[in-house]
Amino acid sequence: MNIGTADLVEDLESSSRRVSGLAGGPGPNGGGSNPGGRRDGPDDIEPTEPESFAPNKSRILTGFILLVVLMTFAGLIAAYIVIYTNNVGEWKPFELPLQVWISTALIFVSSVVYHFGKLAVDRNNQMSARKWFIATTIIGAAFVSSQMLAWVALNAKGFYMRGNPYAGFFYLLTAVHAAHVIGGIIALGTILLRSLNLTQNASEIARRRSLAQVVGWYWHFMGVLWLFLVVLLGFVK
């Protein structure tokens, strides 16, 4: 009778161990149904890789913005050429003020400086990139200030938007361009804010490289557009 009782107890204990193993409790390997002694729980969740940054969206958005800017200036330039070719009596061109040529030099230098900043971002030299982008922002602000001084100088000489279509187009084209340069300065500010914190996160580094690339597209586009406007206003009049 004792032997039967002992067999019954052993059978019950064996069944209990099997049920516990299926439920995730301790088993022969110390891990229940999970071989190797691992237990399911928060500690067993494998760390996920940081989400990789896909730059396609920012590139597409920037391309769309550049297309809109191009169409805007194309319409203004077309209107300029139409009125210029009509030889209206009110069309009275003037020599471009000195500030225009200073602005041309400034925007050219800003593109070069930005290029060095972009190279620093590509090399993950974050401290150097920050310095180059700060310099680009300052030069961009100087460009806008130079434009304002040009408007003041022309206004002092009696060249107003009314009564002279050439003067009106000069103010309009340079003002619209300056507004877009201010937009580029704001975009530069987003890069500078990110550069304040040094990082080794691969996704963040990829995001900064993409941001520097698309802002560079915009910034260099503004430089080329300005050169075209100077040629138009200075020699097609």
Side-chain angles (χ1 to χ4, degrees):
M1 190 68 183
N2 290 336
I3 295 176
T5 303
D7 292 339
L8 179 60
V9 172
E10 288 179 359
D11 290 340
L12 290 174
E13 289 179 352
S14 177
S15 300
S16 176
R17 284 196 297 268
R18 287 197 298 268
V19 173
S20 299
L22 292 175
N29 295 324
S33 62
N34 191 357
R38 296 180 55 189
R39 288 179 291 179
D40 296 333
D43 294 337
D44 296 320
I45 300 176
E46 295 182 359
T48 58
E49 294 294 332
E51 182 181 357
S52 59
F53 174 67
N56 293 334
K57 291 183 179 180
S58 58
R59 291 173 181 171
I60 293 173
L61 177 60
T62 303
F64 176 76
I65 292 174
L66 292 179
L67 180 61
V68 172
V69 173
L70 181 62
M71 294 176 63
T72 300
F73 278 93
L76 294 173
I77 292 170
Y80 176 96
I81 293 176
V82 168
I83 297 178
Y84 163 72
T85 54
N86 285 337
N87 295 320
V88 295
E90 296 82 4
W91 186 269
K92 299 176 182 179
F94 47 78
E95 293 297 324
L96 298 181
L98 176 63
Q99 290 83 358
V100 170
W101 305 108
I102 296 176
S103 298
T104 303
L106 287 172
I107 203 164
F108 174 78
V109 173
S110 72
S111 287
V112 175
V113 173
Y114 187 93
H115 177 69
F116 284 115
K118 173 63 168 56
L119 291 178
V121 172
D122 292 339
R123 297 166 182 164
N124 198 24
N125 190 341
Q126 299 177 30
M127 293 294 295
S128 178
R130 181 192 305 173
K131 294 177 182 178
W132 286 114
F133 288 143
I134 289 175
T136 306
T137 304
I138 294 174
I139 298 172
F143 171 86
V144 176
S145 300
S146 179
Q147 288 302 289
M148 293 180 179
L149 292 176
W151 301 332
V152 172
L154 291 176
N155 189 72
K157 293 180 180 180
F159 297 112
Y160 308 110
M161 293 189 68
R162 291 183 179 180
N164 185 353
Y166 175 80
F169 273 107
F170 178 89
Y171 284 112
L172 181 61
L173 288 170
T174 55
V176 173
H177 183 272
H180 284 85
V181 171
I182 292 174
I185 293 174
I186 294 174
L188 270 170
T190 62
I191 299 179
L192 288 175
L193 288 176
R194 288 184 175 276
S195 66
L196 293 178
N197 298 321
L198 302 181
T199 181
Q200 294 301 323
N201 182 278
S203 180
E204 176 62 20
I205 292 174
R207 182 177 285 104
R208 294 183 183 186
R209 286 174 178 168
S210 177
L211 185 60
Q213 181 185 52
V214 296
V215 173
W217 291 351
Y218 183 91
W219 194 261
H220 298 315
F221 180 82
M222 288 295 109
V224 173
L225 181 59
W226 174 254
L227 293 177
F228 183 84
L229 292 179
V230 169
V231 171
L232 179 72
L233 295 169
F235 302 97
V236 185
K237 56 182 180 179

